[in-house]
Amino acid sequence: TLGQAKTGINAAMVTGGNVSGTVTAASGGAPLSGICVTLEHADGSFAGNGGCSNASGQYTSAGVPAGSYVVLFHDGLNHYASQYYSGSSTLAGATAVNVTVGATTPSINAALTAESLPTVSAVSPSSGPAAGGTSVTITGSGFTGATAATFGGTAATGFTVVSDTQITATSPAHAAGVVDVQVVSSAGAS
């Protein structure tokens, strides 16, 4: 009942275990701060937040229930590619980490690779009608993981990443004139 104390309800808090490690840049080994750590179950479902790395690249995920987890390291600013422990870009390649109550599982480290901006080197054909609808081949580099192609700031109406060096896009309707063609990825735009 609202406003009345209820007795006889008891709970036992379990301390849990800890997971700790250091996050560095793959190139040069500099410590990375602000890299977030997420614990997941083997099926990829969310198990818990593990905090973020400090200025020394170190993190500790405290109070983790006993069990087996995969650890995902991700940069919210998208300057570095996400990675599972130990070095895998996919859940299938992740190494499980076992957590024991009252103990620390140390050295769950990551060396993250810097994301690179996509680069556009050629567009074919180089012109089309203002009404759009032209199939355009965009050539360049860093296209794996691209999320869009734009023509003068307007998103392509169709978009397929063929390879790391080629995209096929359908030009949108746009005012007549020269436009910049850009490829957008999690790291930014070309």
Side-chain angles (χ1 to χ4, degrees), residues 4 13-14 25 39 47 61-62 81 87 91 105 109-110 114 119-120 124 165 171 177:
Q4 294 181 356
M13 302 298 289
V14 177
L39 302 174
S61 302
L91 175 64
T105 304
N109 303 327
T119 302
V120 174
S124 178
T165 60
S171 64

Side-chain angles (χ1 to χ4, degrees), residues 134-161:
T134 302
S135 179
V136 177
T137 299
I138 304 170
T139 306
S141 63
F143 294 164
T144 300
T147 56
T150 63
F151 293 75
T154 303
T157 58
F159 169 81
T160 303
V161 177

Side-chain angles (χ1 to χ4, degrees), residues 26-149:
S27 176
L32 298 177
S33 66
I35 303 299
C36 296
V37 179
T38 302
L39 302 174
E40 297 179 357
H41 297 287
D43 65 1
S45 62
F46 179 78
N49 287 322
C52 296
S53 59
N54 63 21
S56 299
Q58 299 171 339
Y59 75 92
T60 298
S61 302
V64 178
S68 181
Y69 303 93
V70 292
V71 181
L72 174 64
F73 301 90
H74 51 96
D75 175 16
L77 299 175
N78 296 320
H79 294 143
Y80 291 88
S82 294
Q83 173 184 301
Y84 285 94
Y85 176 76
S86 73
S88 176
S89 62
T90 65
L91 175 64
T95 299
V97 172
N98 293 314
V99 176
T100 304
V101 171
T104 295
T105 304
S107 301
I108 305 303
N109 303 327
L112 303 184
T113 303
E115 291 273 11
S116 58
L117 291 174
T119 302
V120 174
S121 58
V123 176
S124 178
S126 60
S127 64
T134 302
S135 179
V136 177
T137 299
I138 304 170
T139 306
S141 63
F143 294 164
T144 300
T147 56

